[in-house]
Amino acid sequence: NETLRGDIDVETLRVTQVDDLGLGIVEAEDLPSVLYVEEGGMNYVGRYAKRMSAVYKSRVIKESKRSLASGQKWTIDGKEYAPDKVASFYLDVLKKQAEKYYNGEKIDSAVITIPANFHFQQQQETRNAAVLAGFDPDKVYMLPEPTAALIDFLNEEEKKTPEARRIDLSKGSKKLLVFDLGGGTCDVSILQVSENANKAFSITELSV
C-alpha cells in the first residue's frame, strides 16, 4: 500500500461551536467528539456537549468511535443513535465549517484518519458516517493514524535541505516503527520510507 508524497500545505481551521457554558460562540482548533441531545431534539457537538456530560449524562454520547461496528446504540427521548450516526454529526459540523471558510465552495471529498487496527466493518461504518454528513461515497478516503502522522512529519522534512533532515535516505530506504498514542489507545505501524527519483518521499505500509 504505497503513498507518494508531493507538495502539501497544511492549514488548521478554527471550528465555530457553542462555548462551555452554552452562552456564546467560540472558535477553537479542536472539536470534542461529544454529542449532547437537548430536550426538544436540538443537537450540540463540541465543548458545550462535553461539559453537559457532567450535568445530563443520560443525554450525552461520547467515545462513540470505540463502538463502531459493535451493534451498540443509544436511546434518547425514544430515538436511537447508532455510532455511525453520532459520528456524522461531528463530520457535518466540520464539513460546514470548511465550506464556510472557502466562501461557500461545496466540499464533497474527505480523508479521514482511523485507528490502525480498524477492521473492514469499522471502516465501512466510518465511511457511512461521512456519507450521512453529505460527503460523496466515492470521494471518502481513510488513512491509518500512524501513517497520517508520518506523512505530516515527512511533509515538514521535505521542506528542509537534505543535510537538515532528521531521516537520511541517501543510502536507501528505512523501516520505521510509528507509535500513535491517543485517548486510551496505542496504534503501532511499521512503515518503509524511501526517496523516489524526484526526491519526494514514498511510504509503504508493511504492517498496521
Side-chain angles (χ1 to χ4, degrees):
N1 198 9
E2 192 173 89
T3 305
L4 294 177
R5 289 275 298 88
D7 244 358
I8 298 176
D9 290 323
V10 178
E11 186 171 2
T12 302
L13 305 184
R14 297 180 68 83
V15 183
T16 302
Q17 55 195 291
V18 178
D19 66 19
D20 298 63
L21 299 178
L23 300 176
I25 301 295
V26 295
E27 288 187 346
E29 293 182 352
D30 67 311
L31 179 74
S33 300
V34 183
L35 170 67
Y36 166 54
V37 182
E38 192 176 54
E39 288 187 34
M42 179 69 74
N43 299 314
Y44 295 90
V45 299
R47 294 190 170 195
Y48 180 51
K50 183 177 181 179
R51 180 178 181 276
M52 295 307 287
S53 65
V55 183
Y56 296 114
K57 186 175 181 180
S58 63
R59 307 191 71 86
V60 173
I61 301 172
K62 58 183 180 179
E63 299 181 352
S64 58
K65 182 173 76 172
R66 299 182 183 183
S67 300
L68 285 167
S70 69
Q72 180 177 353
K73 293 182 180 180
W74 298 268
T75 302
I76 301 176
D77 295 335
K79 184 177 180 179
E80 285 191 338
Y81 294 82
D84 56 347
K85 179 62 177 177
V86 175
S88 74
F89 287 111
Y90 313 141
L91 295 174
D92 179 65
V93 169
L94 297 174
K95 180 176 185 293
K96 289 176 179 176
Q97 288 289 303
E99 290 175 338
K100 180 180 179 181
Y101 180 83
Y102 290 107
N103 300 314
E105 178 183 345
K106 182 180 179 182
I107 296 177
D108 60 359
S109 178
V111 176
I112 302 174
T113 60
I114 58 174
N117 62 354
F118 256 24
H119 55 65
F120 178 76
Q121 191 173 350
Q122 289 171 310
Q123 293 181 36
Q124 287 300 105
E125 290 204 9
T126 301
R127 184 183 303 278
N128 189 51
V131 173
L132 290 172
F135 290 100
D136 185 328
D138 296 323
K139 296 180 181 180
V140 176
Y141 309 94
M142 272 163 285
L143 192 63
E145 289 165 357
T147 304
L150 181 59
I151 288 175
D152 184 60
F153 172 76
L154 293 179
N155 180 55
E156 296 304 313
E157 286 284 281
E158 198 167 35
K159 297 175 183 177
K160 302 176 182 178
T161 59
E163 58 272 13
R165 292 177 179 176
R166 286 164 287 184
I167 297 180
D168 180 13
L169 300 175
S170 60
K171 297 180 181 180
S173 63
K174 289 186 178 295
K175 293 182 178 66
L176 302 177
L177 184 66
V178 181
F179 290 87
D180 176 44
L181 298 173
T185 62
C186 176
D187 286 336
V188 180
S189 294
I190 299 175
L191 306 165
Q192 181 171 284
V193 182
S194 58
E195 203 170 46
N196 62 25
N198 297 321
K199 299 299 180 181
F201 291 113
S202 176
I203 303 172
T204 303
E205 296 173 353
L206 301 180
S207 178
V208 295

